[in-house]
Amino acid sequence: MHPTTGGTGTRRRRCGTPPPGVPNQTRLTFLVANGRIGTSLGILDSFEKGIERAVNGAFAKTFKSGLQPVEISSALRRELDTKAAVVDRDRILVPNKFTLRLSAPDYERMTSLGEALTDELVQAIERHASTQGYQFAGGISISLRPDDSLSEGVLGIDSRSIKGSVAWTPVLDIAGTRYPLIATRTVIGRGSEADITVADTGISRKHVEVTWDGSRAFVVDLDSTNGSKLNGERVRKAALAPDSVIEIGRTTIVFRVLPRAAADTSTDRQQDDATKRHDGFWGAP
């Protein structure tokens, strides 16, 4: 079902109903303000802080107007709730492949965040699914594309359930930059011989090493001068759980394991009809 183009409505309305003429192209800001995209402020704050941390404090400068990342997160949770299909008593299936359609200005701003945005959105979807008891048919995939028919501040979502496997990607977030762990051993330090060089005079030339064997990660302090901390505690060697925080000198390193939809050229033929729907814009009947 394709949305009907029309008026864009009032950008900020605190109560009541959308103005006449905007049944299918209602601004997300209106829906958030009226509680139709239901979520706790705590989750929204956590998502926004995650985005800001990932882009090294550029969030406020980049998103003073137009569509907000937190609104996309709310819309995706709403999409899960709307498309949830009860398969049996113990299984509720929800979409795992999402295409976000944005106006040209919004698309330019969102893509400037790179993978930081999609990674945070995937984590927000996973948290909501876990809370609600939803299940996915495969790995979560989120893509963005510009849509010239949309006005700034308006979001369109296409979603469906695709069968497939999940590929787990370990990464290190350091000073706003995300480094995939592509080797079994990754050395971090201020020297040029380190795999990841950090401009911090408080760390050694080869300070810590992070190892990854395909399923587990460890952090090892390489006899550094000032030592290392893991989640606030001194560490020599320890296993890394997802979202562990390593501190060396004045630098904070966050270890994450991100789910990715594994490449499968046949996935488009494996669509689950239970969630094959396109509801267009929020506010569509």
Side-chain angles (χ1 to χ4, degrees):
M1 175 178 180
H2 295 286
T4 302
T5 58
T8 57
T10 303
R11 183 173 292 275
R12 301 288 178 183
R13 290 171 59 93
R14 295 295 180 184
C15 58
T17 58
V22 287
N24 296 330
Q25 199 161 311
T26 307
R27 291 191 181 279
L28 289 172
T29 47
F30 172 86
L31 298 174
V32 172
N34 283 277
R36 293 175 60 190
I37 297 179
T39 186
S40 69
L41 289 177
I43 293 177
L44 295 180
D45 289 344
S46 175
F47 173 81
E48 195 166 87
K49 289 177 181 177
I51 288 290
E52 184 173 6
R53 182 172 58 249
V55 299
N56 198 25
F59 180 86
K61 294 180 180 178
T62 307
F63 297 101
K64 289 183 178 179
S65 62
L67 189 67
Q68 304 295 308
V70 69
E71 293 172 336
I72 299 178
S73 176
S74 295
L76 285 170
R77 286 193 292 272
R78 171 83 173 194
E79 186 78 359
L80 293 187
D81 294 338
T82 302
K83 302 288 186 68
V86 179
V87 178
D88 56 44
R89 187 175 62 180
D90 300 320
R91 190 180 188 203
I92 303 176
L93 191 66
V94 290
N96 63 318
K97 184 173 183 178
F98 304 87
T99 300
L100 308 181
R101 295 179 288 108
L102 309 95
S103 68
D106 287 330
Y107 177 79
E108 184 177 355
R109 284 192 296 270
M110 296 301 169
T111 54
S112 70
L113 293 178
E115 291 187 355
L117 174 64
T118 53
D119 289 344
E120 292 293 338
L121 289 173
V122 167
Q123 291 182 53
I125 289 173
E126 286 189 310
R127 287 193 295 266
H128 185 66
S130 177
T131 300
Q132 300 298 324
Y134 298 153
Q135 296 181 27
F136 302 102
I140 300 171
S141 171
I142 298 177
S143 60
L144 282 68
R145 71 175 178 86
D147 188 332
D148 293 337
S149 69
L150 302 186
S151 301
E152 187 174 1
V154 176
L155 171 68
I157 297 181
D158 302 323
S159 68
R160 53 185 178 172
S161 184
I162 299 293
K163 295 179 182 179
S165 58
V166 180
W168 297 94
T169 303
V171 300
L172 298 176
D173 285 343
I174 308 175
T177 301
R178 178 154 289 168
Y179 299 91
L181 296 179
I182 58 177
T184 56
R185 299 177 183 274
T186 301
V187 175
I188 305 164
R190 61 179 174 85
S192 59
E193 64 269 33
D195 299 305
I196 299 176
T197 302
V198 180
D200 184 342
T201 57
I203 67 177
S204 301
R205 297 183 63 84
K206 297 174 71 173
H207 197 107
V208 292
E209 179 182 73
V210 175
T211 63
W212 171 257
D213 65 3
S215 60
R216 296 175 301 173
F218 290 86
V219 59
V220 180
D221 183 89
L222 301 176
D223 296 323
S224 63
T225 301
N226 296 325
S228 307
K229 291 183 179 181
L230 176 62
N231 299 324
E233 302 290 335
R234 286 278 182 177
V235 65
R236 294 286 297 176
K237 179 179 180 179
L240 290 174
D243 299 321
S244 293
V245 178
I246 305 166
E247 296 175 72
I248 58 173
R250 297 181 300 276
T251 300
T252 298
I253 304 168
V254 181
F255 170 75
R256 303 183 190 277
V257 181
L258 306 175
R260 289 283 187 270
D264 187 347
T265 57
S266 64
T267 53
D268 286 339
R269 296 193 299 270
Q270 300 174 345
Q271 185 169 332
D272 190 318
D273 289 336
T275 54
K276 183 181 178 182
R277 286 167 36 197
H278 170 213
D279 288 341
F281 302 101
W282 294 119

